[in-house]
Amino acid sequence: MTDVSGNEKVLVGVIGGSGLYHLDNLTFIKHVNPKTPWGYPSSPMSICALPTGTRIAFLARHGKGHNISPSSVPARANIAALKSLGVRAIIAFSAVGSLCEEIAPRSFVLPTQIIDRTKGVRPASFFEGTSVVAHAAFGDPFSLKLVRWLEGRVEKALEGRNVRLFRDKCIVCMEGPQFSTRAESMMYRQWGADLINMSVLPEAKLAREAEISYALIATATDYDSWRPHSGAVTTAEVFKTLQANADTSRQVAATVLDELHTLIDGEGSGDGKDAVLLEEVGSMRLSIMPRTEERKKEDEEKLAYILPQYFAE
C-alpha cells in the first residue's frame, strides 16, 4: 500500500512525551518533515521498521531536545503530518501526575475520559479560522476499540517489572506550564479526575477530526499537589521517575508495536482485525455542516490535506 507520493504507507504513529524521544528495537529508515497547511511538526518524524517490515512513524511531541512548551506544541501540524503519511492509529505516551493514592508513581494508565482545563490559547480544531464549520463527536475522547486492544498487550509488556496498569480512568488536561495549586489539585479530585497532564488536548480532538484512532498510554511521575502532608510537585520530583518510566515505555511500545502487524496484515480481510485501525474512518461525515456558497475554495483545499474524501475535488 502506498501514499499519493508512491511511498509505502505508514499506518501507525507513535507520539512520545516527556522523556520518550526515541524507540528501541526498531530499524531506522529515514526522517521526514512534511510542511503541512498548519506548519511543520514538532520535530522531523522517524520512519522505522518492525522486525516484520511494518513501518512505524515516531514523533517527539516536545521536540527532540524537549524545547517546546505544552502550550506551544504545534498539535495541528503534528496530527496533519502523521495523517499525510497514511497513519490511521496513534499511540501517544505522556507523563502525568496522579490524583489518586492507588496510582503511584511509575504506574501505567489507559484513560478513557478527559476534562478540558486548557485556556483557549491552543488551536483546537483544523476548522478554526476557516469558512467551514464542523462539530466532531467527542463523548468518548479516546478510540475505545484501540484502548481495549492495548489493555492486554500493555499488561503483558509490564509483566516482571513491578509496574501496575490502571484502566478506564479520567485525565485532566491543564494549561501549564506551571503545575497545579493545591486547591486546584483537590478540586480535580472532587470532580472525579484520576490523572493530570498538559498534553492530551488538543491532540486527541485533532486526531478525531482527522479520523485517526487515538489512545493515550499515561505514565505517572508524581502525586501532583493534593496530598496534605507531602510537598507540592516539582520538576526535580518528576525527573526522579521520568527516566524509569521512559525505559518501561520503550519496552511497552516494542511489545505493542510487534503485534500491530497482525492488524495491518489483516486490513480489509473482513475478519475484524482491521477494526482498530479503521475505527474513526467516516466519523466526520455527519459532523461537517452542509456546503454553502460562502465556503471558500482555499479553505476546502486546506482541509483536503487531512480529509481528502470530503474536500478533494
Side-chain angles (χ1 to χ4, degrees):
M1 179 179 294
T2 60
D3 61 18
V4 292
S5 301
N7 298 315
E8 182 179 345
K9 278 194 175 183
V10 180
L11 299 182
V12 178
V14 177
I15 298 178
S18 300
L20 186 62
Y21 308 116
H22 68 275
L23 296 178
D24 296 334
N25 304 321
L26 297 177
T27 301
F28 174 78
I29 298 174
K30 62 181 177 180
H31 282 123
V32 295
N33 194 31
K35 183 179 181 180
T36 77
W38 300 273
Y40 288 100
S42 296
S43 61
M45 297 179 289
S46 300
I47 307 300
C48 305
L50 298 171
T52 58
T54 298
R55 295 192 175 193
I56 302 295
F58 177 82
L59 171 66
R61 180 187 292 115
H62 299 285
K64 292 293 186 183
H66 202 114
N67 61 325
I68 304 175
S69 171
S71 299
S72 300
V73 170
R76 290 190 294 186
N78 288 347
I79 299 300
L82 288 168
K83 182 65 181 283
S84 74
L85 298 177
V87 166
R88 292 180 176 174
I90 293 173
I91 300 172
F93 287 83
S94 178
V96 302
S98 170
L99 298 171
C100 302
E101 191 69 43
E102 65 171 351
I103 304 178
R106 293 197 64 190
S107 297
F108 273 55
V109 189
L110 286 167
T112 49
Q113 278 299 323
I114 304 174
I115 296 174
D116 189 352
R117 282 280 291 166
T118 59
K119 298 177 181 178
V121 299
R122 313 177 187 193
S125 172
F126 288 111
F127 297 86
E128 186 174 316
T130 75
S131 56
V132 183
V133 176
H135 301 282
F138 205 59
D140 294 305
F142 300 99
S143 300
L144 293 180
K145 289 180 181 177
L146 178 57
V147 172
R148 300 306 178 208
W149 184 88
L150 284 169
E151 287 174 347
R153 278 77 179 179
V154 174
E155 199 153 49
K156 176 182 175 183
L158 294 176
E159 289 178 358
R161 287 182 168 262
N162 196 31
V163 176
R164 288 188 65 184
L165 172 66
F166 294 86
R167 315 175 188 202
D168 294 311
K169 300 299 183 180
C170 177
I171 185 169
V172 172
C173 187
M174 62 175 290
E175 191 58 62
Q178 299 82 5
F179 293 120
S180 305
T181 67
R182 291 188 184 276
E184 288 169 334
S185 192
M186 293 173 66
M187 177 181 70
Y188 299 145
R189 281 169 48 83
Q190 293 174 351
W191 286 358
D194 306 290
L195 310 166
I196 185 166
N197 88 334
M198 303 178 190
S199 299
V200 70
L201 295 176
E203 199 170 88
K205 290 182 176 180
L206 295 166
R208 181 62 52 84
E209 285 189 347
E211 297 192 343
I212 300 174
S213 296
Y214 179 93
L216 181 74
I217 299 178
T219 60
T221 58
D222 57 85
Y223 276 117
D224 203 50
S225 299
W226 58 271
R227 298 169 101 200
H229 303 298
S230 298
V233 59
T234 65
T235 300
E237 181 183 2
V238 169
F239 272 105
K240 289 180 183 179
T241 54
L242 196 61
Q243 188 57 54
N245 282 356
D247 291 341
T248 305
S249 294
R250 280 189 282 272
Q251 177 60 40
V252 168
T255 301
V256 168
L257 295 174
D258 193 47
E259 294 197 36
L260 272 176
H261 75 276
T262 60
L263 295 175
I264 296 170
D265 288 345
E267 185 184 10
S269 64
D271 59 8
K273 286 183 178 180
D274 54 354
V276 169
L277 294 179
L278 304 181
E279 182 173 359
E280 303 301 342
V281 173
S283 62
M284 290 295 293
R285 183 176 302 278
L286 299 180
S287 298
I288 301 168
M289 299 303 287
R291 188 186 188 99
T292 67
E293 60 183 18
E294 287 78 20
R295 185 180 290 184
K296 298 177 181 177
K297 182 175 178 58
E298 58 266 32
D299 291 337
E300 292 186 326
E301 291 174 348
K302 183 178 184 179
L303 292 166
Y305 192 88
I306 57 159
L307 295 171
Q309 65 274 42
Y310 305 130
F311 294 103
E313 292 183 352

XYZ file of all heavy atoms in Angstrom, residues 12 27 34 57 104 155 158 166 210 222 238 256 266 270 292:
101
model
N 0.631 3.337 11.388
C 0.643 3.525 12.839
C 1.669 4.592 13.211
O 2.815 4.561 12.752
C 0.972 2.218 13.574
C 1.039 2.448 15.090
C -0.073 1.161 13.261
N 14.196 -0.661 13.322
C 15.225 -0.329 12.338
C 14.908 1.030 11.717
O 13.872 1.195 11.077
C 15.296 -1.401 11.236
O 15.585 -2.662 11.840
C 16.372 -1.056 10.219
N 7.340 16.799 6.751
C 6.427 17.437 5.801
C 5.927 18.796 6.282
O 5.634 18.976 7.460
C 5.271 16.438 5.706
C 5.311 15.689 7.000
C 6.760 15.596 7.366
N 5.762 5.384 12.346
C 6.248 6.763 12.410
C 6.334 7.187 13.870
O 5.385 6.998 14.635
C 5.308 7.695 11.650
N 0.274 5.043 41.954
C 1.564 5.505 42.455
C 2.487 5.875 41.297
O 2.287 5.422 40.159
C 2.209 4.412 43.302
N -0.425 -4.813 29.493
C -0.281 -5.624 30.703
C 0.782 -6.703 30.514
O 1.610 -6.954 31.395
C -1.625 -6.265 31.058
C -1.708 -6.728 32.493
C -3.139 -6.739 32.994
O -3.998 -7.284 32.282
O -3.384 -6.195 34.078
N 4.256 -5.282 30.774
C 4.653 -4.865 32.114
C 4.973 -6.031 33.043
O 5.446 -5.819 34.168
C 3.540 -4.006 32.738
C 3.272 -2.651 32.066
C 2.082 -1.966 32.721
C 4.502 -1.765 32.115
N -3.513 0.619 35.164
C -4.868 1.011 35.533
C -5.655 1.348 34.265
O -5.092 1.846 33.291
C -4.837 2.225 36.465
C -4.222 1.946 37.805
C -2.843 2.039 37.981
C -5.006 1.571 38.876
C -2.263 1.776 39.208
C -4.437 1.304 40.120
C -3.063 1.407 40.278
N -9.309 14.336 12.279
C -8.583 13.749 11.142
C -8.963 12.294 10.908
O -8.392 11.645 10.030
C -7.078 13.860 11.381
N 4.318 11.458 39.556
C 4.211 12.167 40.834
C 2.761 12.140 41.293
O 1.882 11.636 40.602
C 4.673 13.620 40.660
C 3.862 14.331 39.587
O 2.779 14.856 39.915
O 4.292 14.344 38.409
N 9.584 15.059 39.420
C 9.178 14.391 38.189
C 10.349 13.639 37.571
O 10.223 12.491 37.129
C 8.599 15.418 37.187
C 8.430 14.785 35.811
C 7.263 15.956 37.695
N 3.906 -3.804 22.043
C 2.646 -3.460 21.392
C 2.816 -3.378 19.876
O 2.018 -3.939 19.112
C 2.115 -2.121 21.950
C 0.975 -1.596 21.088
C 1.662 -2.296 23.385
N -4.109 -7.954 8.400
C -5.499 -8.363 8.237
C -6.401 -7.273 7.724
O -7.599 -7.449 7.623
N -11.971 -8.583 6.330
C -13.322 -8.934 6.744
C -13.365 -9.778 7.994
O -14.433 -10.167 8.445
N -22.089 25.421 1.703
C -22.788 26.656 1.364
C -21.939 27.429 0.363
O -20.747 27.178 0.196
C -23.007 27.534 2.607
O -21.736 27.996 3.081
C -23.710 26.763 3.715
